Amino acid sequence: MTLDFIVLALLTIITAATPLVFAAMGELITEKSGVLNLGVEGMMLTGAVTGFASVFFFESAIVACIAAMLAGTLTALLFAFLVLTLQASQVATGLALTIFGVGLSALLGQNMVGIAYEGLPTLSIPYLTELPIVGKLLFGQDFLVYLSLALPFLVAWFLYRTRAGLILRAVGDSHDAAHAIGYPVIRIRYCATLFGGAMAGLAGAYLSLVYSPMWVENMTAGRGWIALALVVFATWRPWRLFLGAYLFGGITILQLHAQAVGINIASQFMSMLPYIITIVVLVLISRDRNKIKLNAPACIGKPFHPAA
Amino acid sequence: MTQQVPLLNLTGITKAFPGCVANDDIDLIIQPGEIHALLGENGAGKSTLVKIIYGILKADKGTIEWNGEQVSIDNPSIARQLGIAMVFQHFSLFDALTVVENIALGMENSVDLTELEKRILEISTNYGLPLDPKRHVYTLSVGERQRIEIIRCLLQSPRLLVMDEPTSVLTPQEVEKLFATLRRLSTEGVSILYISHKLDEIRVLCQTATILRLGKRVSDADPRKETARSLAAMMMGKELQSPARPPKVTHVDKARLEVKDLSLEAIDDFGVDLKNVALHVNAGEILGIAGVAGNGQNELLDALSGERSCDSSNSITMDGNPCATLAPDARRRLGFGCVPEERLGHGAVPDMSLAENTYLTAYAQMNLTNNGMIQTAARDEFSDRIIREYRVKCTDRQASAASLSGGNLQKFIVGREILQNPGVLVVSQPTWGVDAGAAAAIQEALIALAENGSAVLVISQDLDELMQISNRICAICAGVVSESIPTEQATVEQIGLLMGGATNQASVL
């Protein structure tokens, strides 16, 4: 009985953490290039509604995920054009992008409220998936979960082992120096921002296809903002980010179970817990100024004027 | 000598920016293996010209020939493929990355980092430029940072090495080492294009010089056959004023600024702790503090100006008033003036007008506030006085601080502080990046202030300047300030050793 409960809790924790892993890893790459995109929430919502609509239209989960990534990429492209080409303020544009995403997704999703979807197909390997306890946990997830587990490896490898990752970090650290050496700062930032958009779109699709397979207005419920906070408090390091996402997912689920058991604490307070605890823990483990200096992209949010 | 094909031949290079012609029909010929100086005041177009050579900017008109063939250098990558390497004035380094990562970024092709590390160590021992490839750049001194740039260039086996003001941040001993490296490169057939303000250096190092003034090439010279004065005259188009000299001390030994046992921890690992600093500046004298950047100068200035308050209220006294715990404006009321190193963002608010910037430091001393209201007439009058007396080139007092050139803004800031008639003035890098004419004007103003009975403390990396204008000199190294030496007894070598950390004077004298 308790074992079943633990397995069930772990399964739900994974679903709660996965969208954060996607959105935050995307934002990590964006910010490492020196661009601060506060529109994660808006890009997630756009991705969520697009993914949900596409799964009925194309009747393919994979196509729906790709469509959601494209939708996220397109909103990020709008953002990138405004802040990189036209050099608008990144903070103001990012906030506007969130509000835009909320409105656009509500408009597109008008006719889809109340429709349910059966959820993404999960992996099913004969015998392995039927194993007690670990079977469902390790071999019975949908493909997005496996992708999200691979993501920290991929991002860490890209940032710290490849030349492209080195150039990306360099652009975020000093765009003037990168320009002087001859790297195309704006083009690199476009790529990083678009990747962030694609990941946010995928995170949105995960919410509307797996986490609660339906469309509800504003269904991200602030996860885009948590993803942004995770990036900062994880001091721009992929593995800390991954842990932070799972910490948040874990507490989200535990407080739900606690509420279900009937612990006598105001439910509003319980709903606050994951946000507060995640931020407090990450603040506590990232107080080292040197580590921050070493990992924080020094040029974040600063517009780049190439002419000078 | 037979007529050889020049390595680089620029003809008729013209580049205009909105509002000014930075390069006007400039010709430049560099022979293989020569060390060629490019001379000129601020705004003469030197930096623009080298940026065109390195492909960062594109010329509006003119041709570039490399080894006799016409080429078009559209970006730095093409320049590097031709064999042009550049050491920038403001280093193009990435603080958060390691030495080897920084160097890899400057290479044309993808490289294996462990392989690259070996090559870095090889070159660094070969040329006597010690450097640990694994360290992060933010932990390195300025001299070490420059070594990264030089090694980065040498790894590409360049044919032409462009150096933009390389010695402004080095101790005299480091300059000697650098020159040895450059001379060796020159004998190996590498051409060097060397940009500097320091005329004496050019005379000992370079074989030819091209002199620019206001975007035009005015003449060529053999610097070995010229004097520093004649070169300066060619640069400025007029005779240099007589060189600055220390103020004549007419006042008795009365310390106006006294610092005793001042210790201050750095805010973070990138700063330097001040350790038991003791110094005093008498009325009527200039005390110079020499030192390589990043040895505690910023912390010392913060402690003196009051940006960071210190523990014991007796460690800093100004005219007998303990003020170590006072805030900056309280110190200003006691008659303290301060010119920080960083002009935009520290000495002046970039996007505010000169008049507003005047008000911000002068409101108390010059009574520019009445019942909380800004006295605009008095403020404007004072701003105009600064602009007039210090010959600040600007449209008018409404011009934003950021719109002024570095030298003009510095004249404005120094003028703003001096005209408040401070009893104690602390100036950091008064003439850094300022051309010879403006530098002379600023130095004259500092000397005149001291001769009127104020105490002036000058923190500078430019040792020549300190030797010229100060009565006494000391050096700061790793947060420790050495004892002072009267300038007439001091030699450049002694101070250089103190700057490098020779702890006691006895070992130097």
Side-chain angles (χ1 to χ4, degrees):
Chain A
M1 162 61 208
T2 43
L3 205 58
D4 284 351
F5 175 76
I6 291 171
V7 171
L8 185 72
L10 285 175
L11 281 171
T12 42
I13 286 171
I14 292 174
T15 41
T18 301
L20 285 175
V21 173
F22 283 127
M25 287 292 176
E27 181 68 12
L28 176 93
I29 293 288
T30 305
E31 291 192 11
K32 269 290 189 186
S33 81
V35 177
L36 178 66
N37 185 352
L38 294 180
V40 180
E41 183 91 353
M43 298 190 297
M44 279 175 81
L45 279 167
T46 316
V49 75
T50 311
F52 193 70
S54 309
V55 85
F56 289 105
F57 193 79
F58 298 108
E59 295 184 341
S60 155
I62 294 194
V63 174
C65 289
I66 291 171
M69 287 170 74
L70 278 178
T73 311
L74 275 179
T75 41
L77 181 65
L78 176 68
F79 173 83
F81 178 72
L82 289 171
V83 303
L84 296 176
T85 303
L86 302 182
Q87 307 204 330
S89 149
Q90 297 188 5
V91 171
T93 311
L95 292 173
L97 188 68
T98 287
I99 299 167
F100 170 76
V102 171
L104 180 73
S105 61
L107 178 73
L108 295 176
Q110 236 171 2
N111 298 323
M112 290 187 281
V113 177
I115 307 176
Y117 170 64
E118 74 271 22
L120 287 187
T122 53
L123 186 70
S124 175
I125 303 171
Y127 306 116
L128 279 182
T129 309
E130 285 129 51
L131 283 176
I133 308 171
V134 295
K136 200 92 181 81
L137 216 49
L138 294 182
F139 305 106
Q141 305 284 353
D142 57 74
F143 66 93
L144 286 181
V145 169
Y146 296 113
L147 181 62
S148 81
L149 294 175
L151 207 52
F153 289 99
L154 292 175
V155 168
W157 172 78
F158 170 76
L159 280 179
Y160 300 105
R161 289 279 172 269
T162 67
R163 182 170 169 85
L166 177 61
I167 294 172
L168 181 89
R169 285 187 287 142
V171 167
D173 192 52
S174 167
H175 48 216
D176 291 322
H179 177 68
I181 299 178
Y183 291 109
V185 173
I186 298 287
R187 206 187 315 156
I188 290 164
R189 288 192 170 164
Y190 256 99
C191 293
T193 310
L194 296 187
F195 176 79
M199 287 297 111
L202 193 58
Y206 192 85
L207 286 175
S208 67
L209 298 180
V210 181
Y211 187 73
S212 51
M214 58 168 121
W215 167 250
V216 186
E217 239 180 68
N218 225 339
M219 69 183 300
T220 47
R223 284 187 183 78
W225 297 109
I226 277 293
L228 275 165
L230 280 175
V231 175
V232 176
F233 294 128
T235 54
W236 293 270
R237 276 180 288 179
W239 278 108
R240 287 207 168 180
L241 188 64
F242 187 76
L243 287 178
Y246 268 78
L247 182 69
F248 180 84
I251 298 165
T252 307
I253 297 309
L254 288 183
Q255 60 94 10
L256 279 179
H257 286 295
Q259 285 188 47
V261 176
I263 290 174
N264 192 18
I265 298 174
S267 67
Q268 291 87 345
F269 180 79
M270 298 295 276
S271 312
M272 278 161 38
L273 270 184
Y275 298 86
I276 289 189
I277 293 180
T278 307
I279 288 174
V280 168
V281 168
L282 286 171
V283 166
L284 289 179
I285 61 173
S286 62
R287 278 176 311 167
D288 187 341
R289 296 180 76 111
N290 292 324
K291 290 270 166 57
I292 294 173
K293 172 94 180 175
L294 205 53
N295 289 290
C299 278
I300 191 156
K302 289 184 195 154
F304 174 62
H305 307 280
Chain B
M1 205 161 120
T2 51
Q3 188 64 37
Q4 53 187 343
V5 181
L7 180 70
L8 181 74
N9 185 356
L10 305 182
T11 14
I13 296 289
T14 301
K15 172 80 188 173
F17 291 113
C20 79
V21 180
N23 284 171
D24 188 0
D25 196 22
I26 291 180
D27 300 340
L28 177 70
I29 294 174
I30 298 176
Q31 301 293 348
E34 87 175 341
I35 305 184
H36 192 115
L38 191 57
L39 274 171
E41 299 193 89
N42 289 66
K46 300 173 306 235
S47 294
T48 307
L49 188 64
V50 294
K51 279 181 181 164
I52 290 170
I53 294 174
Y54 196 57
I56 299 173
L57 292 173
K58 195 146 175 51
D60 301 335
K61 261 193 271 169
T63 56
I64 303 176
E65 277 178 32
W66 179 259
N67 276 331
E69 279 171 43
Q70 190 166 336
V71 290
S72 159
I73 305 174
D74 294 327
N75 60 50
S77 166
I78 295 178
R80 285 195 291 264
Q81 280 161 25
L82 290 173
I84 303 174
M86 178 154 171
V87 176
F88 294 89
Q89 179 181 10
H90 303 285
F91 302 147
S92 53
L93 294 177
F94 306 96
D95 283 355
L97 306 182
T98 61
V99 170
V100 62
E101 285 175 330
N102 266 282
I103 291 177
L105 281 165
M107 309 287 287
E108 225 21 74
N109 304 306
S110 198
V111 279
D112 180 49
L113 290 188
T114 37
E115 188 62 30
L116 184 61
E117 239 170 69
K118 273 188 219 143
R119 286 177 59 200
I120 292 170
L121 287 172
E122 205 177 279
I123 288 202
S124 80
T125 40
N126 200 354
Y127 284 92
L129 302 162
L131 196 61
D132 177 0
K134 285 214 171 65
R135 280 179 63 185
H136 284 98
V137 168
Y138 71 84
T139 63
L140 301 178
S141 75
V142 187
E144 288 173 305
R145 287 175 196 216
Q146 188 180 48
R147 275 179 223 150
I148 304 179
E149 293 263 7
I150 295 172
I151 289 178
R152 173 151 85 184
C153 292
L154 294 184
L155 275 167
Q156 300 161 31
S157 331
R159 307 277 313 280
L160 171 66
L161 182 61
V162 182
M163 306 198 86
D164 196 351
E165 307 238 358
T167 59
S168 53
V169 292
L170 304 180
T171 62
Q173 283 80 3
E174 284 176 312
V175 170
E176 272 310 308
K177 272 192 207 155
L178 174 70
F179 282 7
T181 309
L182 295 183
R183 288 198 185 98
R184 178 166 158 201
L185 285 170
S186 160
T187 56
E188 288 170 5
V190 179
S191 307
I192 292 160
L193 181 59
Y194 188 91
I195 301 174
S196 177
H197 278 129
K198 297 188 180 171
L199 303 169
D200 288 323
E201 287 181 357
I202 284 174
R203 288 181 51 235
V204 299
L205 182 71
C206 303
Q207 292 131 21
T208 9
T210 296
I211 294 153
L212 303 183
R213 189 192 319 144
L214 299 172
K216 291 198 173 69
R217 188 182 68 129
V218 287
S219 58
D220 284 343
D222 184 341
R224 292 166 297 188
K225 293 181 184 143
E226 301 285 338
T227 64
R229 279 181 77 80
S230 64
L231 286 172
M234 281 187 251
M235 266 163 65
M236 295 197 296
K238 58 173 193 269
E239 283 296 311
L240 189 67
Q241 294 135 294
S242 59
R245 44 155 186 98
K248 295 186 195 82
V249 187
T250 48
H251 300 257
V252 268
D253 285 356
K254 185 186 86 175
R256 296 200 75 168
L257 174 69
E258 264 197 293
V259 177
K260 280 182 207 148
D261 203 23
L262 171 72
S263 294
L264 186 67
E265 262 183 41
I267 300 177
D268 55 30
D269 280 12
F270 313 104
V272 174
D273 299 343
L274 292 181
K275 290 166 206 120
N276 310 94
V277 172
L279 54 88
H280 68 277
V281 192
N282 293 333
E285 74 166 353
I286 296 181
L287 173 68
I289 298 187
V292 179
N295 270 297
Q297 289 97 328
N298 293 341
E299 285 77 8
L300 182 61
L301 187 91
D302 285 352
L304 291 176
S305 72
E307 282 167 68
R308 292 189 60 199
S309 77
C310 310
D311 296 334
S312 153
S313 60
N314 286 320
S315 59
I316 304 176
T317 49
M318 216 170 280
D319 290 333
N321 301 305
C323 61
T325 54
L326 294 183
D329 66 325
R331 295 192 199 191
R332 283 188 174 276
R333 280 171 216 274
L334 288 173
F336 180 84
C338 178
V339 178
E341 174 182 1
E342 191 192 350
R343 284 155 213 164
L344 281 176
H346 199 176
V349 185
D351 292 332
M352 283 194 175
S353 71
L354 295 180
E356 286 167 314
N357 271 301
T358 304
Y359 176 81
L360 286 173
T361 71
Y363 68 95
Q365 293 287 45
M366 305 305 292
N367 292 320
L368 300 180
T369 312
N370 185 12
N371 294 324
M373 307 297 284
I374 298 171
Q375 301 300 100
T376 45
R379 177 195 71 182
D380 292 351
E381 195 193 328
F382 186 53
S383 320
D384 288 345
R385 202 177 130 212
I386 300 168
I387 293 168
R388 201 173 53 240
E389 291 189 14
Y390 283 81
R391 290 189 200 86
V392 180
K393 279 182 215 147
C394 59
T395 48
D396 62 357
R397 65 175 118 82
Q398 295 306 332
S400 74
S403 71
L404 268 63
S405 74
N408 269 307
L409 184 59
Q410 185 71 352
K411 283 199 278 187
F412 173 78
I413 293 171
V414 170
R416 178 185 70 186
E417 299 303 318
I418 289 182
L419 288 179
Q420 293 175 45
N421 200 16
V424 174
L425 181 68
V426 177
V427 193
S428 183
Q429 318 296 354
T431 58
W432 187 76
V434 172
D435 63 54
I442 289 169
Q443 289 167 353
E444 280 302 321
L446 293 174
I447 291 162
L449 180 73
E451 288 187 336
N452 276 326
S454 301
V456 180
L457 179 69
V458 179
I459 304 170
S460 178
Q461 290 175 45
D462 187 342
L463 189 49
D464 298 336
E465 167 178 81
L466 292 180
M467 297 292 279
Q468 268 177 28
I469 66 169
S470 26
N471 301 99
R472 287 183 293 127
I473 295 190
C474 50
I476 185 167
C477 179
V480 179
V481 174
S482 73
E483 277 178 47
S484 67
I485 308 175
T487 309
E488 62 266 26
Q489 298 167 20
T491 64
V492 172
E493 288 70 33
Q494 277 171 17
I495 307 292
L497 287 172
L498 288 175
M499 284 160 76
T503 41
N504 65 49
Q505 232 174 302
S507 69
V508 177
L509 292 173

